[in-house]
């Protein structure tokens, strides 16, 4: 099978894909490795040979950086390289930035924002609500 350019793939799949969803007049895409969930050529995770994705770690403690390998494009089991970051939060962001910067630097800020949002969703609330005793009724 001959490979098709990314431009042709994008023109075929940009409006007619099973991942495209419309919510209240806004169009989103749910495809893997699309960091902004917008149906754009730059952010598409299906058509490019180099893609970046950030997902929660399987145990919900940390994040996992998913990058498409150059080798193994035709082997789905070996197509993605997954790295889990579970250290301190600043070192996680620094590691993600260093990994993405040499790979696809145009997606660096989007990857950091997605990782930060995942971290905030995993963060436990430090505020503990105390139960108040009811006031005694005075008559």
């Amino acid at each position: 099978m001959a490979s098709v350019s990314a431009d042709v793939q994008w023109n075929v799949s940009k409006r007619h894909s099973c991942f495209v969803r419309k919510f209240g007049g806004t169009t989103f895409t749910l495809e893997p490795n699309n960091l902004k969930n917008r149906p754009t050529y730059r952010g598409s995770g299906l058509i490019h040979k180099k893609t970046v994705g950030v997902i929660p770690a399987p145990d919900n403690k940390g994040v996992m950086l998913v990058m498409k390998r150059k080798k193994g494009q035709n082997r789905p089991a070996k197509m993605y390289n997954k790295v889990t970051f579970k250290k301190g939060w600043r070192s996680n962001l620094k590691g993600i930035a260093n990994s993405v910067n040499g790979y696809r630097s145009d997606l660096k800020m989007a990857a950091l924002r997605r990782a930060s949002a995942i971290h905030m969703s995993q963060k436990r609330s430090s505020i503990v609500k105390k139960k108040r005793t009811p006031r005694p009724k005075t008559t």
Side-chain angles (χ1 to χ4, degrees):
M1 185 167 123
S3 64
V4 180
S5 71
D7 294 326
V8 173
Q9 289 179 8
W10 172 248
N11 284 325
V12 170
S13 67
K14 66 181 169 183
R15 288 198 175 88
H16 306 289
S17 173
C18 65
F19 296 109
V20 175
R21 303 285 192 269
K22 294 182 181 179
F23 298 108
T26 307
T27 305
F28 293 103
T29 181
L30 302 175
E31 62 190 30
N33 293 346
N34 189 335
L35 292 170
K36 292 187 174 185
N37 292 338
R38 295 286 184 177
T40 60
Y41 175 76
R42 187 181 102 180
S44 178
L46 296 175
I47 61 173
H48 292 293
K49 289 185 178 180
K50 290 182 173 184
T51 61
V52 176
V54 179
I55 58 174
D59 59 351
N60 283 333
K61 294 181 181 177
V63 294
M64 185 180 291
L65 180 68
V66 180
M67 297 183 349
K68 209 182 238 189
R69 293 182 181 185
K70 271 191 144 180
K71 292 182 179 180
Q73 293 283 328
N74 297 325
R75 294 179 288 177
K78 296 183 179 183
M79 189 183 309
Y80 295 108
N81 185 17
K82 299 177 181 179
V83 179
T84 305
F85 292 95
K86 289 187 176 184
K87 291 184 179 179
W89 192 241
R90 288 178 188 241
S91 65
N92 288 351
L93 288 180
K94 189 172 182 180
I96 290 170
N98 290 339
S99 298
V100 174
N101 200 17
Y103 188 70
R104 277 198 62 183
S105 58
D106 61 327
L107 297 177
K108 183 173 104 172
M109 280 308 294
L112 292 177
R113 286 180 180 165
R114 173 66 67 98
S116 182
I118 291 171
H119 170 68
M120 292 303 289
S121 71
Q122 293 173 348
K123 194 174 180 181
R124 296 193 71 169
S125 176
S126 61
I127 300 171
V128 178
K129 292 185 178 179
K130 296 180 182 178
K131 288 188 175 181
R132 299 181 81 184
T133 57
R135 289 185 178 177
K137 292 184 179 180
T138 56
T139 55

